[in-house]
Amino acid sequence: MNFKLLILLCISLTIAYASKSQDPLEQVRSDMQRKATGAMRDSLDRASQLFLAKFQATEDTLEKRYYQSKLDSLDKVADRYNLEGLLVDLEFVKKHLSSPISVKTLLFRLKRYEGQNYYKEIYTLYNALNPALKKTQKGIELREALADFKNSSIGKIAPGFQGKDINGKELSLKAFQNKNYVLLDFWASWCAPCRQDFPSLKELYHKYHSKGLEIVNISRDEDLDMWRDAIKMDGVEMWKHFSVKQNKSPIEKLYFVTAIPVKVLINKEGVIIGRWRGGGEEHMAEMKNMLQELFME
């Protein structure tokens, strides 16, 4: 067979296979994403894995701080590229308001960190979607997610919850109203960034607990023994502890927690006044400054 004909045949077979395995519009979206971010994402992932491995391998405090600073810097760069990807996706949805892929794309972006500041744009595009898409399972899921996002944002009354704590005692948000500031900390025993924030949180607790600060740790652990062991190992028994699994609680949905760690600060009137997604020194510094102002230090 002629070499050129062989090449053309291979290309044809590849296109035919792709057309069967992937929606053409999804291919368009993927191509737009690759063009927007290039090879940088892969480089960032490799660098992050390298520094994370070094962070986990050392017990030296200074070295840990150094590697954590590198990871935080890489996160900022990644955030910029994720934002570019979000803008590409929003542009795609604008041009394909009748495609089911657009519903999935909006839901995916809303649940990611970079979507937090683009609620209005995502909500506007949701309203512009083909009405038939809004009645689909994904369309309904997107509508509910938009509502949960809005209802758990800064300035809103914090969604109530109740159940049993780690000791079997009743625990509810309402019990703290008009008495305490409450910091909800969504975490899990297997989440390294979650537990890396514990030393700083312990400092804040010891400093402000007598003045009215309560910390409620909300775990998504499936293994309850690992959950209890981590609490003892990290020395945070003095906080309130609430298991999503044990209480069969919808609290993560109510607070639109799609990834951990997430921290939500609620004032004495039950209003959300702070929200941080992700760990790291920058978020902890913001939280410390806010608490200093609240307790007038």
Side-chain angles (χ1 to χ4, degrees):
M1 181 181 291
N2 183 284
F3 182 72
K4 289 184 178 180
L5 288 176
L6 180 61
I7 295 296
L8 289 173
L9 177 61
C10 290
I11 293 173
S12 298
L13 289 172
T14 301
I15 293 174
Y17 175 78
S19 65
K20 290 182 179 179
S21 62
Q22 187 176 40
D23 187 302
L25 277 180
E26 181 60 38
Q27 184 63 52
V28 169
R29 176 176 170 268
S30 297
D31 290 344
M32 291 170 66
Q33 285 282 7
R34 282 194 292 272
K35 185 176 181 181
T37 59
M40 180 58 73
R41 189 181 302 279
D42 290 337
S43 298
L44 287 170
D45 287 343
R46 287 194 295 271
S48 293
Q49 290 172 11
L50 175 63
F51 284 120
L52 180 59
K54 289 181 178 295
F55 177 90
Q56 294 173 336
T58 183
E59 296 298 327
D60 185 275
T61 303
L62 290 178
E63 288 185 355
K64 276 189 174 294
R65 287 182 180 175
Y66 171 76
Y67 292 130
Q68 184 62 59
S69 69
K70 292 296 183 183
L71 287 167
D72 290 344
S73 297
L74 287 170
D75 282 344
K76 290 180 180 179
V77 177
D79 286 346
R80 186 171 74 247
Y81 280 90
N82 287 334
L83 177 58
E84 290 180 11
L86 177 142
L87 296 176
V88 168
D89 274 351
L90 295 185
E91 192 61 33
F92 171 88
V93 173
K94 287 179 185 178
K95 297 176 181 178
H96 303 96
L97 294 171
S98 295
S99 171
I101 295 169
S102 292
V103 182
K104 295 178 183 178
T105 299
L106 290 178
L107 185 59
F108 169 76
R109 285 301 177 182
L110 181 65
K111 290 182 175 181
R112 287 179 60 85
Y113 177 80
E114 63 272 10
Q116 292 188 29
N117 295 323
Y118 283 80
Y119 168 84
K120 290 182 180 179
E121 289 80 358
I122 294 173
Y123 182 75
T124 298
L125 286 172
Y126 164 77
N127 284 330
L129 289 173
N130 186 309
L133 290 177
K134 297 179 185 179
K135 298 178 182 178
T136 64
Q137 181 179 348
K138 284 295 180 183
I140 294 170
E141 188 178 343
L142 175 58
R143 183 191 69 209
E144 292 178 351
L146 285 163
D148 291 334
F149 183 99
K150 182 178 181 180
N151 292 335
S152 61
S153 59
I154 292 174
K156 296 293 183 179
I157 296 294
F161 65 90
Q162 61 183 24
K164 302 285 188 180
D165 70 7
I166 195 170
N167 298 312
K169 296 181 179 179
E170 290 295 330
L171 178 65
S172 70
L173 182 62
K174 188 176 182 180
F176 299 109
Q177 195 164 349
N178 299 319
K179 294 187 294 184
N180 302 97
Y181 286 91
V182 179
L183 179 66
L184 304 181
D185 181 25
F186 292 85
W187 76 296
S189 64
W190 42 261
C191 171
C194 301
R195 296 175 69 175
Q196 285 166 17
D197 285 343
F198 279 7
S200 295
L201 289 178
K202 283 198 285 186
E203 288 180 15
L204 293 175
Y205 181 83
H206 289 306
K207 189 172 185 179
Y208 297 118
H209 176 61
S210 62
K211 299 181 180 181
L213 176 67
E214 284 287 355
I215 295 180
V216 180
N217 262 29
I218 299 167
S219 168
R220 61 164 51 175
D221 275 285
E222 288 292 322
D223 188 323
L224 298 183
D225 287 333
M226 289 184 64
W227 168 52
R228 296 185 184 96
D229 289 345
I231 290 168
K232 291 180 181 178
M233 185 181 299
D234 292 345
V236 292
E237 296 96 330
M238 63 284 191
W239 300 343
K240 306 295 184 183
H241 293 282
F242 184 91
S243 164
V244 173
K245 178 181 179 180
Q246 196 172 54
N247 287 283
K248 299 179 181 178
S249 173
I251 189 170
E252 288 190 306
K253 179 179 183 298
L254 295 175
Y255 281 87
F256 200 73
V257 175
T258 58
I260 52 176
V262 168
K263 297 174 182 64
V264 179
L265 184 61
I266 303 165
N267 69 12
K268 293 182 179 181
E269 289 71 40
V271 177
I272 296 173
I273 58 174
R275 184 180 176 109
W276 299 269
R277 181 173 177 177
E281 294 180 2
E282 184 175 346
H283 286 169
M284 290 307 305
E286 291 178 5
M287 192 183 304
K288 288 178 181 178
N289 290 336
M290 180 175 286
L291 290 172
Q292 283 177 356
E293 291 180 8
L294 289 173
F295 293 105
M296 299 178 65
E297 289 212 347

